[in-house]
Amino acid sequence: MFVLDALDAVAAAASLTLRFASVIFVRFHPIGKKYLSQILGGFTTYLLSAFLQLCLIRTFSTKRGHARALPALLGRVDPSKPKSSLAGCVINLLCLAAVGDFLFRGHMLHQSKSLSFSRIGYVDSNSARIVVRAPFQEYAQITATPVSAPGNAVQATIPIQEQSDYTATFVLEGLESGTEYAYRTNASHTGVFSTMADPSKASKRWSMIATSCIKPFYPYNPLDHGLRIKGLEYVDNYLSSHAAEFMLFLGDFIYIDLPVALGWDATAYATAYRQVYASPSWTPRLRNLPWLHVYDDHEIINDWAGNETGLYKTAMLPYWGYQGLANPPSDARETTHYVLQHGDISFFVLDTRRYRSDNNLPDGPDKTMLGQNQLQELLQWMGNGKEWKVVVSSVPFTRNWRGPDAADSWSGYLWERDLILDEMKKKGVSLILSGDRHEHATTLFPATIPGEQSVIEFSTSPLNQFFEPFSRHHREIEKTDISIHSHPWGTSKFGVVTFDTSKQDTLDVFYNLIVDGQETWNHTWTSHQV
């Protein structure tokens, strides 16, 4: 019967669409807007075609006296193959269940409202910042004691308030330089940290880690914990045999809008932070590593630009509680960009969201990513002091990524970018660290006139998120952005940056790219005083 055969073909096509889109969505590309319509449409079409087949077969069976119409409900017209029909139906249901599990397990089962934890933030030679979350305390009290001299304890007390989602940040001051401390709180948190040594005693060779972008429970595995973050496990494994001074996390710590948005109020944003910190993938070693943060668009909404009212303020409240207050102090209260000094290296960590013009505006002097004040502070910092300097950006400086969202990076702000790069080359600021693109790219911005210093950018992401499975957008075209290395593959990537200033007037940088727990590439960069 032609109609039944046609409906059978529709059911088969719908099943194929459902299964393919489901696997891509939960394992390779968790973009809800792109795949959920295919998944739900495929399942609905499958059910509808099966229902119509059943109706036709029942009508036909009534007239002919047949009764074996049930297998048609399972997507097959031929009643002689009920087992394969049942298997197809079960597979379709399992695909839909996996999608639902991926989307809602964390939201339904892991609100983590009782989460209690502590972690280390910025530490210098005589102070340390420690974040705590203690939902069952009216106040938090900490005691930090030098491991080698238990009698010289430092104590502090801070209130715990619901409006900050029960988080607070200790600022311990008056600490001894070059000293290991152990701390304990009244909420049973414990940990250790080490203050920086005096400049005259500080090591001339040390390492840090840089990356961005975290999505728990990805890639999807139904046997995993709903908040597992394998990228954290890779970092912990690396730290088991290597030393790092701190983690510089370059944004998208949460994804409030992916795979789908589950709320835009303060509670939704706070829950997203809690769920990352509640992951079983955290270890004492990771919590004892100082983490320094900058936010990017997915802490607010995709491709966020400017506008400090409404949604921005809602999103930033938990950011300050969980991360912002633990960053290095800035000159202005609640300024989100800051300067970080470690040994002979000074970092200017940019805020690329708060002050930027709309991405779609025409490029030129009137379009800005940094805003006038931040830009002037950056240019002034380049010319001050004799430290080696590193510019840190949440979005890449290179324009070699040519995809449809290229305008969200510095590629859409080339007038301001070139002004900054020209000044960097003149002042000998030769290194940029960035993230955001879920890929790695090392890019050279060559000097154009004698006496200038070339600039190199190491852009690495994600710590735990998807990479683009289908399209390759990274292409070198202009000679202003020379591609040294590109690596798009891998759901977990971070860079280990080692600085060596032991040679006079020379900075040696050793970069190691870690992909899914394995070192895949390394590069050495040398800069001289200009």
Side-chain angles (χ1 to χ4, degrees):
M1 185 175 181
F2 174 76
V3 175
L4 290 177
D5 290 342
L7 288 173
D8 197 37
V10 170
S15 295
L16 183 62
T17 299
L18 164 67
R19 297 169 192 178
F20 179 77
S22 297
V23 172
I24 293 296
F25 177 61
V26 303
R27 293 288 300 178
F28 298 100
H29 207 212
I31 308 296
K33 290 183 179 179
K34 187 169 184 177
Y35 295 105
L36 284 179
S37 59
Q38 299 177 34
I39 293 168
L40 296 177
F43 190 74
T44 301
T45 302
Y46 166 76
L47 287 181
L48 182 60
S49 62
F51 176 75
L52 291 175
Q53 288 182 76
L54 177 62
C55 292
L56 289 173
I57 291 178
R58 279 183 172 176
T59 301
F60 178 78
S61 299
T62 300
K63 292 180 178 180
R64 302 286 185 176
H66 298 302
R68 297 179 63 191
L70 181 60
L73 179 61
L74 306 176
R76 297 294 299 258
V77 175
D78 186 353
S80 66
K81 300 179 179 179
K83 292 183 179 179
S84 62
S85 301
L86 179 61
C89 182
V90 169
I91 291 173
N92 288 349
L93 289 172
L94 287 176
C95 286
L96 194 66
V99 170
D101 188 34
F102 178 58
L103 289 174
F104 300 114
R105 188 196 295 189
H107 182 70
M108 299 296 293
L109 302 182
H110 301 291
Q111 289 281 312
S112 306
K113 293 182 179 180
S114 62
L115 171 67
S116 182
F117 76 97
S118 66
R119 73 165 184 89
I120 307 297
Y122 174 63
V123 180
D124 61 14
S125 58
N126 54 26
S127 70
R129 295 173 179 246
I130 300 175
V131 179
V132 298
R133 186 177 192 272
F136 306 114
Q137 310 289 138
E138 293 184 1
Y139 66 91
Q141 187 176 63
I142 192 171
T143 301
T145 307
V147 173
S148 59
N152 300 326
V154 176
Q155 291 186 327
T157 302
I158 47 179
I160 300 295
Q161 299 178 339
E162 183 179 5
Q163 66 181 23
S164 60
D165 199 38
Y166 305 104
T167 62
T169 300
F170 291 105
V171 181
L172 304 180
E173 298 180 312
L175 305 178
E176 301 173 20
S177 63
T179 301
E180 183 181 25
Y181 282 81
Y183 73 85
R184 178 179 293 275
T185 76
N186 62 331
S188 300
H189 308 133
T190 60
V192 295
F193 63 89
S194 295
T195 55
M196 293 170 52
D198 290 330
S200 60
K201 301 178 182 179
S203 173
K204 298 294 183 178
R205 183 184 176 98
W206 55 274
S207 301
M208 54 157 284
I209 299 173
T211 187
S212 69
C213 306
I214 289 178
K215 173 68 179 80
F217 202 32
Y218 177 82
Y220 172 74
N221 183 336
L223 302 181
D224 280 348
H225 187 282
L227 299 178
R228 185 184 183 187
I229 302 171
K230 291 183 68 176
L232 289 176
E233 298 168 18
Y234 293 136
V235 175
D236 182 71
N237 184 63
Y238 179 86
L239 292 174
S240 68
S241 56
H242 300 81
E245 297 294 302
F246 56 87
M247 163 71 80
L248 192 53
F249 198 85
L250 305 180
D252 294 342
F253 188 81
I254 64 169
Y255 275 76
I256 195 66
D257 49 354
L258 286 179
V260 294
L262 296 175
W264 299 106
D265 57 9
T267 299
Y269 283 100
T271 300
Y273 282 97
R274 284 200 308 271
Q275 288 171 330
V276 175
Y277 282 114
S279 171
S281 300
W282 287 96
T283 65
R285 183 161 40 224
L286 291 174
R287 296 195 188 276
N288 290 335
L289 176 71
W291 284 62
L292 312 176
H293 289 269
V294 64
Y295 68 95
D296 200 39
D297 55 339
H298 290 286
E299 279 94 345
I300 308 170
I301 191 174
N302 187 44
D303 291 350
W304 178 263
N307 187 354
E308 294 185 50
T309 62
L311 190 63
Y312 177 87
K313 291 184 176 180
T314 299
M316 290 302 288
L317 182 62
Y319 168 78
W320 281 108
Y322 281 93
Q323 296 178 346
L325 294 175
N327 284 335
S330 55
D331 292 336
R333 185 176 181 269
E334 290 194 351
T335 298
T336 41
H337 57 277
Y338 56 87
V339 173
L340 163 67
Q341 182 78 33
H342 194 96
D344 296 328
I345 312 296
S346 178
F347 302 80
F348 196 109
V349 182
L350 301 171
D351 182 334
T352 67
R353 293 291 168 185
R354 186 175 187 177
Y355 311 107
R356 70 158 66 192
S357 306
D358 188 278
N359 293 344
N360 297 319
L361 288 178
D363 199 8
D366 295 328
K367 186 178 183 181
T368 179
M369 183 179 287
L370 302 183
Q372 183 177 1
N373 291 340
Q374 184 179 192
L375 176 60
Q376 291 306 313
E377 289 178 35
L378 173 64
L379 298 178
Q380 184 178 5
W381 165 82
M382 290 184 194
N384 291 342
K386 296 183 179 180
E387 306 91 353
W388 296 99
K389 294 179 171 64
V390 179
V391 174
V392 180
S393 172
S394 64
V395 294
F397 263 70
T398 182
R399 55 176 160 177
N400 286 342
W401 274 299
R402 312 283 173 169
D405 58 346
D408 187 59
S409 70
W410 282 97
S411 180
Y413 299 76
L414 290 177
W415 190 93
E416 189 172 66
R417 183 199 85 147
D418 291 345
L419 184 153
I420 295 170
L421 282 174
D422 288 345
E423 195 69 15
M424 291 178 69
K425 294 173 184 179
K426 294 175 184 176
K427 299 294 177 59
V429 181
S430 66
L431 182 61
I432 300 169
L433 299 176
S434 65
D436 182 58
R437 288 308 301 257
H438 299 193
E439 298 185 8
H440 168 83
T442 296
T443 307
L444 179 69
F445 306 98
T448 56
I449 62 175
E452 286 187 343
Q453 171 73 58
S454 296
V455 177
I456 195 169
E457 177 184 33
F458 298 108
S459 185
T460 305
S461 176
L463 180 61
N464 201 91
Q465 246 294 16
F466 70 92
F467 67 95
E468 177 57 57
F470 305 115
S471 303
R472 297 278 71 82
H473 297 304
H474 191 274
R475 296 189 304 277
E476 177 190 323
I477 298 176
E478 299 85 4
K479 294 304 180 184
T480 57
D481 298 45
I482 298 176
S483 178
I484 295 177
H485 183 71
S486 173
H487 188 101
W489 303 279
T491 57
S492 175
K493 293 185 277 292
F494 61 89
V496 180
V497 191
T498 300
F499 299 94
D500 190 333
T501 58
S502 58
K503 292 183 286 188
Q504 186 175 2
D505 296 331
T506 301
L507 169 65
D508 289 318
V509 178
F510 306 95
Y511 187 88
N512 293 305
L513 175 63
I514 312 298
V515 179
D516 295 335
Q518 302 296 319
E519 181 177 334
T520 63
W521 183 75
N522 59 74
H523 188 72
T524 300
W525 172 254
T526 299
S527 180
H528 301 283
Q529 294 282 9
V530 296

